[in-house]
Amino acid sequence: DPRTQAMLSATNYDDAEKLYQRALAIRENALGADHPDVAQSLEGLSALYRQSGRSDEAEALYQRAEAILSLPS
């Protein structure tokens, strides 16, 4: 049933979003906002947003990740 599949997909995205956000918060708190591992979490959340049609939010997270990765080590 297509409606069931859509509901499951939405639930999976919601669950995945919560997990990505939690991982991001943990990494920011533990490592600092400009750590490359934070950029990795941002990229993951960005990809999820892109897949779920949230392009503007995805782009903002991607830009933040790129800014972190362009910082000198």
Side-chain angles (χ1 to χ4, degrees):
D1 176 12
R3 288 180 292 175
T4 302
Q5 282 298 95
M7 287 173 41
L8 287 173
S9 293
T11 300
N12 291 338
Y13 278 117
D14 289 344
D15 291 343
E17 180 182 9
K18 289 174 190 171
L19 292 173
Y20 273 115
Q21 288 174 339
R22 183 170 180 225
L24 175 60
I26 290 169
R27 284 181 167 176
E28 285 178 322
N29 288 330
L31 304 171
D34 293 334
H35 194 278
D37 288 353
V38 171
Q40 183 181 15
S41 291
L42 289 165
E43 288 173 337
L45 186 55
S46 173
L48 178 73
Y49 284 170
R50 195 172 305 106
Q51 290 173 349
S52 61
R54 296 164 67 179
S55 300
D56 291 341
E57 291 169 282
E59 183 62 25
L61 292 176
Y62 178 78
Q63 292 297 325
R64 184 174 163 210
E66 288 298 305
I68 292 169
L69 294 173
S70 70
L71 294 173
S73 334

